[in-house]
Amino acid sequence: MTTSVRVVVDAAALLKGRLLSLGADDTVALAADIDTEHGGIVVTGAKARATVRQLRPVYPNLVLIEQPTVHEDRYATAEQPFPVEREQDGQPSLFENDPVTVESVIEAQIANGADVGVIPTGFLRAGDHAAMTAVSNGANAIKRTDVILHLPLALTWVTVEADRAKLIAAIRRSKHPVVISLAHKSDPASQTGVVDGLLALFEAVKNVGVWHSDLGTLEVLAYGGLCGAFGIRASHRHIVEPETRAFSPSKGHDKSPNVLMGALQRFKKSQAMTIDWFANGGEPSCPCPVCGNRPLNRFTASASDVLEAHRHNLHLVTDLHRGLLASPNRRAWWAELLAAAELAHMELSSATNVKIEPDPALRKRIALNPLTDFGH
Amino acid sequence: MAVPAAVILARVVRDLTQEELGTSAGISQGFLSKVERGDVDLDGDRLLRVAAALKFPVEFFLQEPGSTASQTACAFPRKRNSLQISVEKRVRALLQITRLQVEPLLDDDAPPVTLERRSAEDADWISPVEMAAEVRARAGLPSGPIPNLTQLLEKLGVLVVVRDLGSRRLDALGQWPNGHRPLVLVNSTAPADRRRFTSSHELGHAVLHTTATDAQEREADQFAAALLMPPEDGRKVLRDIDIPTLERLKAQWGMSMAALIRRARDLGLVNDYRYRQLNIELSKAGRSNERVQLTPESPATLLDALARQRAAGSSSIAELAARARMTVTEFENLYLEAAS
């Protein structure tokens, strides 16, 4: 009989500089494309545990993390920052003799195959500083090192100075690496004050990563932060506050996949690309290994095309990530990338005779990361 | 022999230059300057003339004006940047003199100070929002509107004095030296809702700050907003707000409509677009002259103490005025007429 001894992982060391891919069971089909040295997978959703269990034996060297979903329907409160007890209709469930604790949730994640545990924090409402204090105290009471503190946040935690100051204080005193996820019905970074607030946060603390995001994952790394987790689907590039519905497109909407356009550093639905910009041709081709110089607007809503688009997105992001890691000055690299994206918008506008402007988040990032800061 | 600091304090609070005081007291500016520097003594007939010109009893000038703590503790003005330095200097002097006058007038039945400051080691962690919740809990205040904010401050041992501060650019000045009570000097010319927010703001300084910091005004504002409307209350009442709702909430919560809109934004209940839209609507309706007007609150601690002492026959008006180092006329004008 053999006994396996698990090496205790230092979560901060494991996450440092890593760009993870975040999704649900759709991560299984992408796992083979993940960079094991600098990447990994965060699995979320109802089937997260089963997905991690499925992936672990096939990819023993891949960083795997299970993200609890308690923040989707429960708030963190001063009394209960980690609302993990089983309840049905407000009553204790039949499992009340088998108490669920934060420790047991973490232990279960790791026993299931995750490399590190994620603390199951409830959603932190705007202005609820008492809940943040309880989260911080509760997390710091956990003595193990293989744990990440996940903070699912209302936008005010980065946009409103009072909340941001409290968030910064919580991250500074955290004994565990911290990752934040921002809630909005659609793209958080496009909302007023979010990019500014995030940059102020990244300037203030380095022990922080950004999950459920898009280019924000590279941004946090460019500013010396801990890690990022890039949402594979648009719905995984933000979270939603409990009792709130995400923006849902009308019936018959464009179901083609969101495709990352490398030069532009933005996503656009494949079908919308054709209609809005390339009705008269001029669509760009992509040299990534998935696309092999085929056009970016080729993806249909079929399952195989959606998967291929996700693989394309993953390859592009991985390439960008490698570029960032290799750069001696990551802030300058980021500013150059943004400036190039702005230029690419102008060039595409000129080539297509359609006015194509950076989206609000990209515009803000360009404004806040001027090349002139780096002697250009 | 007059104490130079007392002469300076009295002159500044009366808003007189050395030249003006000299003319009024029949003394040269040069001599007065030497008095204030402590180079020459002011006594005898010249002291009487200076005291008369400044409308203080001679006794005022014979003692140090307050303890070192009350002179050196940080005072926090809530003001606009355009406030003239001379006005701020005068109001700071007024704050110091008000403390000198009021503290000796209190009796043992005045509410003790039950407030506690945020400790230095908690300064980077316990937020103004949490301190506001702590103050509410300390006062036994449930969630919901604070019916009388001045009463709350006084219940916690804060001295509140309402005076015309002579400029609309200054709402209040507060100070809490060690070993003394917190004192808030509120401008009587400010509207009632603004006075409530300002008093909360100064209470915030009292519990949050002992020295000046870059974030002090912002933090005091955050404290004030959370004290007047805790986050959990805001989430209940500030959803889907419009101008008529804000008018109703203003009457109920004693906060200006502009402050309510800001609170809704800070609690993530209105987005930036709606925030701007509401402010435009408010401006159209007359932001500076909001339709709903509140009744100004008046402090009671001092008046109650004076009433108790007079009812018990323990002190005459002349004795009370002497204790406050004031002339009887000024004492009656400032502290007794206000009561009647």
Side-chain angles (χ1 to χ4, degrees):
Chain A
M1 185 175 148
T2 57
T3 311
S4 68
V5 178
R6 182 178 176 269
V7 177
V8 177
V9 174
D10 181 309
L14 183 82
L15 292 178
K16 185 69 192 157
R18 226 169 253 279
L19 185 68
L20 305 154
S21 298
L22 189 151
D25 48 4
D26 47 5
T27 53
V28 174
L30 290 174
D33 293 278
I34 304 275
D35 174 355
T36 50
E37 192 182 349
H38 304 299
I41 294 180
V42 179
V43 190
T44 189
K47 297 176 187 167
R49 190 148 299 177
T51 305
V52 171
R53 203 179 306 131
Q54 183 185 351
L55 285 167
R56 176 47 79 213
V58 187
Y59 302 99
N61 298 320
L62 186 62
V63 169
L64 287 175
I65 299 170
E66 175 192 330
Q67 184 194 37
T69 55
V70 62
H71 63 271
E72 290 177 2
D73 48 17
R74 302 286 298 275
Y75 288 105
T77 63
E79 297 73 29
Q80 207 179 11
F82 314 118
V84 288
E85 86 292 8
R86 295 192 182 99
E87 275 190 354
Q88 278 186 328
D89 303 326
Q91 298 297 316
S93 80
L94 296 173
F95 301 104
E96 61 181 342
N97 292 329
D98 181 18
V100 179
T101 64
V102 177
E103 295 272 3
S104 70
V105 167
I106 292 165
E107 197 52 59
Q109 292 170 23
I110 290 170
N112 188 55
D115 288 281
V116 290
V118 180
I119 296 174
T121 315
F123 185 86
L124 283 149
R125 266 184 279 235
D128 197 344
H129 292 206
M132 183 64 91
T133 293
V135 165
S136 173
N137 291 340
N140 283 345
I142 299 169
K143 299 300 175 199
R144 48 198 303 167
T145 60
D146 55 352
V147 172
I148 301 168
L149 173 58
H150 177 228
L151 299 178
L153 303 171
L155 286 191
T156 59
W157 289 101
V158 294
T159 59
V160 174
E161 207 148 9
D163 287 2
R164 189 167 65 240
K166 182 70 183 174
L167 172 64
I168 288 170
I171 295 170
R172 279 197 179 130
R173 78 196 295 263
S174 177
K175 292 179 178 164
H176 309 290
V178 179
V179 294
I180 63 169
S181 300
L182 293 181
H184 195 263
K185 291 177 180 179
S186 58
D187 175 25
S190 295
Q191 310 311 309
T192 307
V194 171
V195 173
D196 316 55
L198 281 172
L199 295 195
L201 176 72
F202 301 156
E203 295 274 15
V205 283
K206 303 298 173 197
N207 182 33
V208 66
V210 176
W211 284 10
H212 287 278
S213 185
D214 46 29
L215 292 179
T217 56
L218 290 167
E219 187 166 55
V220 65
L221 291 172
Y223 274 76
L226 188 66
C227 67
F230 185 94
I232 292 168
R233 289 175 184 273
S235 60
H236 287 137
R237 291 182 210 124
H238 62 111
I239 59 168
V240 180
E241 180 165 350
E243 301 162 16
T244 308
R245 282 167 174 239
F247 170 74
S248 58
S250 55
K251 230 178 176 181
H253 74 282
D254 179 359
K255 289 181 180 163
S256 65
N258 264 300
V259 180
L260 182 58
M261 304 181 74
L264 304 184
Q265 304 305 334
R266 68 184 291 173
F267 286 92
K268 178 110 178 144
K269 279 182 173 289
S270 169
Q271 193 181 319
M273 256 186 239
T274 307
I275 295 168
D276 297 345
W277 297 346
F278 310 126
N280 299 318
E283 57 271 44
S285 58
C286 173
C288 84
V290 177
C291 295
N293 287 321
R294 286 177 292 163
L296 279 176
N297 61 341
R298 72 182 187 277
F299 302 105
T300 70
S302 74
S304 59
D305 269 10
V306 170
L307 173 62
E308 193 167 288
H310 291 165
R311 289 184 63 226
H312 152 85
N313 294 345
L314 177 60
H315 274 272
L316 250 56
V317 171
T318 304
D319 262 4
L320 288 170
H321 183 219
R322 284 183 184 140
L324 179 143
L325 292 177
S327 170
N329 184 340
R330 293 181 181 181
R331 288 277 300 277
W333 175 88
W334 179 238
E336 282 161 13
L337 186 79
L338 295 169
E342 186 178 29
L343 188 63
H345 277 82
M346 290 182 216
E347 286 171 354
L348 194 60
S349 295
S350 167
T352 56
N353 278 328
V354 178
K355 196 173 183 186
I356 302 171
E357 290 187 325
D359 61 34
L362 184 58
R363 218 166 32 231
K364 194 73 194 173
R365 286 184 170 123
I366 291 166
L368 293 176
N369 292 277
L371 269 178
T372 48
D373 283 359
F374 304 96
H376 287 259
Chain B
M1 194 176 82
V3 173
V7 178
I8 297 170
L9 189 64
R11 182 178 61 74
V12 172
V13 89
R14 297 303 188 210
D15 203 13
L16 294 175
T17 61
Q18 287 179 340
E19 180 118 25
E20 287 164 341
L21 174 58
T23 304
S24 168
I27 297 171
S28 74
Q29 182 272 331
F31 182 78
L32 209 48
S33 173
K34 286 177 185 167
V35 167
E36 293 189 356
R37 286 203 308 268
D39 292 344
V40 296
D41 294 341
L42 179 69
D43 49 15
D45 182 52
R46 281 192 283 212
L47 173 57
L48 287 175
R49 278 185 277 145
V50 166
L54 291 170
K55 298 188 177 66
F56 278 94
V58 168
E59 292 72 26
F60 178 88
F61 299 94
L62 303 181
Q63 295 173 51
E64 277 292 336
S67 71
T68 314
S70 70
Q71 290 171 51
T72 56
C74 206
F76 297 95
R78 184 159 194 253
K79 57 167 182 147
R80 296 200 190 144
N81 288 337
S82 55
L83 179 72
Q84 284 179 301
I85 292 171
S86 59
V87 176
E88 185 173 340
K89 204 171 155 190
R90 179 177 55 74
V91 177
R92 283 178 184 274
L94 180 62
L95 181 78
Q96 198 181 337
I97 280 189
T98 302
R99 181 181 296 286
L100 279 176
Q101 294 169 346
V102 173
E103 282 189 334
L105 295 174
L106 297 178
D107 57 3
D108 291 343
D109 289 336
V113 180
T114 52
L115 276 180
E116 276 190 21
R117 295 183 208 267
R118 180 174 66 173
S119 67
E121 56 268 30
D122 281 338
D124 290 336
W125 178 234
I126 304 297
S127 71
V129 174
E130 287 168 295
M131 283 304 290
E134 202 273 333
V135 166
R136 268 185 169 251
R138 193 171 284 276
L141 201 65
S143 62
I146 300 175
N148 188 323
L149 187 89
T150 305
Q151 214 169 63
L152 172 74
L153 263 67
E154 293 192 312
K155 184 180 172 185
L156 294 162
V158 179
L159 275 172
V160 182
V161 174
V162 181
R163 289 270 174 82
D164 183 346
L165 301 184
S167 171
R168 287 180 181 274
R169 294 191 170 89
L170 178 68
D171 285 337
L173 187 67
Q175 187 195 40
W176 187 8
N178 288 330
H180 292 263
R181 286 172 182 271
L183 169 63
V184 178
L185 197 55
V186 182
N187 196 344
S188 60
T189 59
D193 50 355
R194 195 167 175 89
R195 274 164 60 169
R196 275 172 61 92
F197 196 91
T198 292
S199 298
S200 311
H201 173 103
E202 291 301 330
L203 181 62
H205 280 309
V207 296
L208 296 168
H209 308 125
T210 48
T211 53
T213 69
D214 288 346
Q216 64 184 35
E217 295 310 307
R218 204 167 55 226
E219 287 193 343
D221 277 346
Q222 292 161 5
F223 174 93
L227 182 76
L228 289 168
M229 183 180 277
E232 57 277 16
D233 286 329
R235 278 193 283 272
K236 284 180 202 153
V237 303
L238 290 175
R239 285 186 192 281
D240 305 321
I241 47 173
D242 52 18
I243 296 295
T245 311
L246 287 166
E247 286 180 339
R248 183 174 53 75
L249 291 174
K250 175 178 175 175
Q252 202 180 349
W253 289 82
M255 294 170 78
S256 72
M257 289 158 71
L260 288 165
I261 295 171
R262 174 71 187 252
R263 191 81 186 112
R265 190 192 69 167
D266 287 354
L267 290 172
L269 301 168
V270 295
N271 62 22
D272 203 58
Y273 173 74
R274 182 68 182 140
Y275 173 74
R276 275 178 296 180
Q277 202 178 32
L278 283 167
N279 273 308
I280 291 167
E281 287 174 33
L282 190 59
S283 292
K284 280 184 190 160
R287 173 195 279 270
S288 59
N289 190 22
E290 293 180 4
R291 273 189 300 185
V292 178
Q293 294 300 321
L294 306 177
T295 310
E297 297 171 359
S298 299
T301 296
L302 177 63
L303 297 179
D304 289 350
L306 293 175
R308 278 193 298 271
Q309 291 171 71
R310 292 179 70 202
S314 57
S315 303
S316 66
I317 290 177
E319 285 166 339
L320 291 168
R323 220 188 296 161
R325 296 199 235 168
M326 299 172 75
T327 63
V328 169
T329 310
E330 188 175 30
F331 175 76
E332 285 180 327
N333 285 344
L334 280 181
Y335 296 119
L336 297 184
E337 276 189 12
S340 58

